[in-house]
Structures are given as structure tokens and as C-alpha cells.
């Protein structure tokens, strides 16, 4: 049997480094949904204030997971993800505004019903 005692120290150190973050919970770095709702007024023409798309080419945002929305908005902002409208709209957004918008749309409950 092979000993893993040589790796116990680094593994323990890594776990102890991550533990405080896990104990703080997701809310420690999450956006403010209430502030996001105010900011979402600018998004409502295409995505709807409730996150349900008003245009066939615009995706629904309600119920999307927060990290996905943050990633998408940051990619639109820096041009990594290309969409003529979204690149312009996301360009001036700060990290805080992006987090707030993501928190708002992620907080909207979506009920999924299979076809009957």
C-alpha cells in the first residue's frame, strides 16, 4: 500500500484555504438582486423585466444560474462573446452591475412543466 502522507500537508493547506470561502456561503460574493431589478429596466425591451424574452432572437434570462449570467455579460463586455447589440450594451457595465443583474435574473423562479 502506498503512503499519501507526503501529500497530506499540501492537501490540508489547500482545504484550509478554501474552507473560509465555503463557510461564507454564496451570498458573500453574490450580486444584489434588488439593485439588479432596477438595472434590468434597461434590458426589458429585449429580455423583459421578468426575464422572459420579448423578441424571438433574445434569450430568456429568468431562472438562469448566476455564474453563467456573470460569465456571459463579462464576455459580451470584453468582446470575447460576440453579439452586435449585447457588446454595446454590456461595454459600460461594471463588475458590480453585472453581478447585480445576474443575481436578479437568477432569483426569478421559473416553473418547468413537461408537455401534457
Amino acid at each position: 500500500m502506498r503512503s499519501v502522507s507526503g501529500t497530506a500537508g499540501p492537501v490540508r493547506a489547500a482545504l484550509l484555504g478554501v474552507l473560509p470561502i465555503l463557510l461564507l456561503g454564496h451570498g458573500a460574493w453574490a450580486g444584489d438582486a434588488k439593485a439588479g431589478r432596477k438595472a434590468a429596466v434597461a434590458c426589458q425591451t429585449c429580455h423583459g423585466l421578468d426575464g422572459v424574452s420579448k423578441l424571438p432572437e433574445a434569450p430568456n434570462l429568468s431562472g438562469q444560474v448566476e455564474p453563467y449570467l456573470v460569465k456571459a455579460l463579462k464576455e459580451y463586455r470584453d468582446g470575447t462573446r460576440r453579439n452586435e447589440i449585447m457588446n454595446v450594451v454590456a461595454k459600460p457595465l461594471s463588475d458590480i452591475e453585472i453581478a447585480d443583474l445576474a443575481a436578479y435574473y437568477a432569483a426569478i423562479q421559473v416553473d418547468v412543466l413537461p408537455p401534457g
Side-chain angles (χ1 to χ4, degrees):
M1 200 159 156
R2 194 170 156 201
S3 171
V4 291
S5 63
T7 60
V11 170
R12 184 178 304 132
L15 288 174
L16 289 175
V18 171
L19 188 60
I21 295 169
L22 295 174
L23 292 175
L24 285 174
H26 180 68
W29 60 84
D32 178 354
K34 191 173 183 177
R37 185 182 193 292
K38 290 178 185 172
V41 169
C43 310
Q44 71 182 344
T45 301
C46 298
H47 299 287
L49 189 57
D50 58 359
V52 176
S53 176
K54 305 304 179 208
L55 302 173
E57 61 275 358
N60 293 330
L61 300 179
S62 57
Q64 289 283 359
V65 292
E66 203 167 332
Y68 170 79
L69 292 169
V70 167
K71 181 179 184 297
L73 283 169
K74 286 183 176 183
E75 288 174 350
Y76 283 127
R77 181 180 66 188
D78 70 19
T80 304
R81 192 169 182 170
R82 306 291 301 156
N83 177 279
E84 191 175 328
I85 295 170
M86 285 304 302
N87 292 130
V88 172
V89 170
K91 190 78 165 167
L93 295 175
S94 69
D95 285 346
I96 292 170
E97 290 167 320
I98 287 174
D100 292 347
L101 283 165
Y104 170 66
Y105 283 117
I108 298 171
Q109 183 177 344
V110 176
D111 295 325
V112 178
L113 303 172

